[in-house]
């Protein structure tokens, strides 16, 4: 029996046609825009009605990369109205946005490993690559299947890829500050192998991970303990005698900026302590600009008095999680998925970063039911404004102020 005809390798398709994007813009605005949020922003980010003050961060919500990814996903459905459209994992880390895509008939594919689903793809199928990007093995499989590809990978992520590829080409191991189980870090790690697959990487999440790594760079140590510590966070064939000689630091773009900078400093010092020179160390700032802006805006927001802060977004959103980490050091902070989490004036359903689960808590000192309350709100780069509006209206409703009064204020 003859071999089947080879698949046709399709190039990435450009779905940003003017006629399509006009309709997409209207559709996206209808789903995610908020006139109330825009009004509060125009007033300096604060709305006071009676004893209730809502204060918004100067920067929050969708960044350019997220907006672009959503636009391209919506456009893909319009350009390919009758074809099967698949998405590798989630377009971004927000349940509301991903639900909208499911309603449009876009089917999510597994992203943690190449499953049989990828072998079932056909030439006329469309595959959307999410804003986080995808590992090279996934891209190779899609090319092999001959599918149309709509690539929404964020430009900031691709800058990191270029950097780790350069490290690999120069024989340097990439030390990646990120979450080994995160889509973006998995995609970046695959590029750190280099074009010929001979590169190497180690992924560090915490400063404790970094200190462990730095001790090994300086003086060696227990090899078994090293491999146990970084299990699932090392490139295949990692050689401790060879692959820590020359290192370059990069990061998942949504990590906490101050922590990434401290990791860079500690690794650099470890190399200097070992070699008396930093010739075998390189670093490149790859924190996303939007992530920096939202973190900086939160630090500025925390200068003013507030009774509590609500951080709105998907619980698996890295950049949103770091906003919670910053704020909870300063005041009562609750990480909520949406307005439905505001159960009452006394109770809130929120994600506890330390327990790593959703819990129900009582506000300290009945903050929402006090005669006067100042409530701050911020969100990560993957949270749409309509969810912020819902949260604002829910707070006011709990405090006896209806939506019509809010809209007219």
């Amino acid at each position: 029996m003859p071999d089947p005809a080879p698949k046709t390798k399709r190039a990435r398709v450009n779905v940003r046609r003017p006629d399509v994007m006009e309709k997409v813009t209207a559709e996206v605005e209808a789903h995610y825009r908020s006139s109330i949020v825009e009004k509060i922003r125009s007033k300096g980010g604060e709305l006071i009605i009676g004893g209730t003050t809502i204060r918004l961060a100067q920067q929050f919500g969708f960044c350019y990369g997220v907006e672009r990814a959503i636009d391209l996903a919506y456009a893909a459905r319009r350009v390919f109205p009758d074809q099967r459209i698949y998405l590798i994992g989630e377009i971004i880390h927000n349940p509301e946005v991903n639900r909208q895509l499911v309603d449009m008939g876009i089917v999510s594919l597994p992203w943690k490993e190449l499953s049989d689903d990828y072998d079932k793809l056909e030439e006329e199928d469309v595959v959307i690559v999410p804003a986080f990007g995808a590992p090279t093995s996934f891209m190779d499989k899609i090319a092999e299947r001959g599918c149309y590809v709509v690539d929404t990978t964020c430009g900031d992520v691709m800058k990191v890829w270029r950097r780790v590829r350069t490290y690999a080409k120069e024989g340097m191991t990439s030390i990646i500050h990120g979450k080994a189980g995160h889509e973006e870090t998995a995609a970046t790690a695959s590029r750190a192998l280099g074009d010929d697959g001979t590169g190497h990487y180690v992924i560090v999440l915490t400063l404790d991970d970094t200190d462990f790594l730095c001790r090994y760079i300086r003086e060696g140590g227990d090899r078994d303990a090293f491999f146990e510590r970084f299990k699932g966070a090392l490139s295949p064939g990692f050689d401790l005698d060879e692959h820590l000689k020359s290192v370059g630091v990069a990061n998942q773009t949504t990590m906490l900026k101050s922590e990434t900078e401290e990791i860079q400093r500690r690794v650099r010092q470890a190399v200097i302590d070992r070699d008396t020179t930093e010739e075998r160390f390189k670093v490149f700032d790859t924190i996303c600009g939007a992530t920096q802006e939202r973190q900086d805006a939160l630090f500025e927001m925390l200068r003013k008095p507030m009774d509590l802060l609500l951080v709105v977004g998907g619980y698996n959103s890295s950049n949103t999680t770091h906003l919670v980490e910053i704020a909870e050091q300063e005041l009562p902070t609750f990480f909520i998925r949406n307005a439905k989490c505001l159960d009452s004036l006394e109770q809130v359903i929120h994600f506890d970063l330390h327990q790593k689960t959703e819990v129900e808590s009582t506000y300290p000192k009945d903050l929402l039911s006090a005669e006067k309350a100042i409530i701050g709100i911020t969100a990560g780069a993957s949270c749409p404004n309509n969810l912020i509006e819902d949260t604002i209206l829910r707070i006011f409703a709990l405090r006896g102020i209806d939506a019509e009064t809010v809209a007219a204020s």
Side-chain angles (χ1 to χ4, degrees):
M1 184 175 179
D3 292 334
K7 294 284 182 181
T8 301
K9 290 190 177 182
R10 300 190 189 278
R12 289 171 172 79
V13 292
N14 179 14
V15 294
R16 295 183 71 93
R17 302 196 319 232
D19 59 320
V20 170
M21 294 314 298
E22 183 178 351
K23 295 174 182 176
V24 165
T25 299
E27 193 174 9
V28 170
E29 283 203 3
H31 284 164
Y32 306 119
R33 181 175 171 268
S34 166
S35 59
I36 287 176
V37 168
E38 290 169 6
K39 182 184 292 186
I40 295 175
R41 275 181 153 165
S42 71
K43 294 182 176 182
E46 189 171 271
L47 178 60
I48 304 173
I49 304 177
T52 306
T53 299
I54 295 292
R55 187 174 292 151
L56 302 181
Q58 289 300 306
Q59 295 288 340
F60 65 87
F62 282 173
C63 64
Y64 169 76
V66 166
E67 289 179 343
R68 175 180 172 274
I70 293 170
D71 285 351
L72 290 175
Y74 275 60
R77 175 45 80 199
R78 288 191 170 274
V79 172
F80 300 99
D82 302 317
Q83 287 167 241
R84 299 193 304 179
I85 301 182
Y86 295 93
L87 166 66
I88 302 175
E90 299 179 333
I91 191 75
I92 58 171
H93 284 157
N94 186 275
E96 167 71 12
V97 175
N98 288 298
R99 183 188 62 76
Q100 291 282 2
L101 298 189
V102 170
D103 290 347
M104 292 161 58
I106 296 175
V107 178
S108 179
L109 292 168
W111 68 267
K112 291 187 177 181
E113 58 184 20
L114 277 170
S115 67
D116 293 343
D117 300 81
Y118 289 86
D119 290 319
K120 297 173 185 175
L121 294 171
E122 299 177 359
E123 286 187 13
E124 293 305 308
D125 292 337
V126 180
V127 178
I128 300 173
V129 181
F132 319 105
T136 53
S137 58
F138 285 67
M139 301 306 294
D140 291 344
K141 171 60 74 172
I142 293 166
E144 174 192 308
R145 302 305 299 167
C147 305
Y148 293 97
V149 177
V150 177
D151 192 346
T152 79
T153 304
C154 175
D156 285 326
V157 173
M158 289 192 282
K159 287 179 184 176
V160 183
W161 293 354
R162 287 194 289 272
R163 178 56 45 179
V164 296
R165 277 191 173 118
T166 299
Y167 290 159
K169 190 178 295 184
E170 295 175 354
M172 307 186 81
T173 292
S174 292
I175 297 175
I176 304 170
H177 177 211
K179 301 174 181 178
H182 191 283
E183 298 97 313
E184 181 191 324
T185 297
T188 296
S190 74
R191 271 75 183 182
L193 298 176
D195 297 332
D196 59 2
T198 61
H200 287 278
Y201 64 81
V202 54
I203 301 168
V204 297
L205 176 59
T206 65
L207 292 176
D208 283 344
D209 287 342
T210 306
D211 288 339
F212 189 98
L213 174 67
C214 287
R215 282 195 296 273
Y216 204 96
I217 288 174
R218 287 188 179 96
E219 58 200 49
D222 187 329
R223 301 169 69 89
D224 291 338
F226 186 97
F227 284 113
E228 180 62 29
R229 176 82 178 224
F230 294 105
K231 185 177 181 180
L234 291 171
S235 52
F238 199 90
D239 186 331
L240 287 173
D241 294 328
E242 290 296 323
H243 298 144
L244 291 177
K245 288 181 177 178
S246 297
V247 296
V249 179
N251 57 272
Q252 184 180 317
T253 60
T254 53
M255 300 306 285
L256 189 62
K257 178 185 176 184
S258 58
E259 192 169 52
T260 290
E261 290 174 340
E262 181 61 19
I263 286 170
Q264 294 168 353
R265 188 193 68 77
R266 294 186 188 189
V267 174
R268 174 181 176 273
Q269 190 60 52
V271 172
I272 291 174
D273 290 346
R274 183 193 64 191
D275 298 344
T276 68
T277 175
E278 60 178 277
E279 286 184 5
R280 292 183 172 183
F281 169 81
K282 285 192 176 181
V283 68
F284 181 76
D285 183 10
T286 51
I287 285 287
C288 155
T291 296
Q292 284 186 226
E293 288 173 357
R294 280 146 188 76
Q295 291 176 9
D296 291 345
L298 177 56
F299 281 119
E300 184 63 31
M301 187 184 196
L302 293 172
R303 291 170 169 268
K304 299 179 182 179
M306 293 182 289
D307 295 306
L308 67 91
L309 180 75
L310 298 174
V311 182
V312 189
Y315 294 159
N316 58 343
S317 167
S318 176
N319 72 92
T320 310
T321 297
H322 293 309
L323 295 177
V324 179
E325 291 172 345
I326 292 169
E328 68 180 7
Q329 305 298 317
E330 304 293 332
L331 82 168
T333 301
F334 300 96
F335 186 1
I336 64 173
R337 195 199 316 268
N338 53 41
K340 294 177 182 177
C341 292
L342 302 178
D343 196 42
S344 68
L345 283 171
E346 291 79 31
Q347 299 289 122
V348 58
I349 300 166
H350 64 106
F351 189 80
D352 187 300
L353 296 183
H354 311 286
Q355 299 183 49
K356 295 182 172 28
T357 188
E358 191 175 66
V359 299
E360 188 170 332
S361 299
T362 301
Y363 292 112
K365 301 178 183 178
D366 299 325
L367 291 177
L368 260 190
S369 58
E371 182 179 349
K372 289 190 175 183
I374 303 174
I375 299 106
I377 300 175
T378 190
S382 55
C383 184
N385 278 354
N386 67 307
L387 296 188
I388 303 298
E389 175 177 307
D390 291 346
T391 303
I392 293 168
L393 294 177
R394 178 62 177 161
I395 292 169
F396 278 118
L398 287 172
R399 291 178 59 81
I401 301 164
D402 60 35
E404 290 74 18
T405 301
V406 177
S409 298

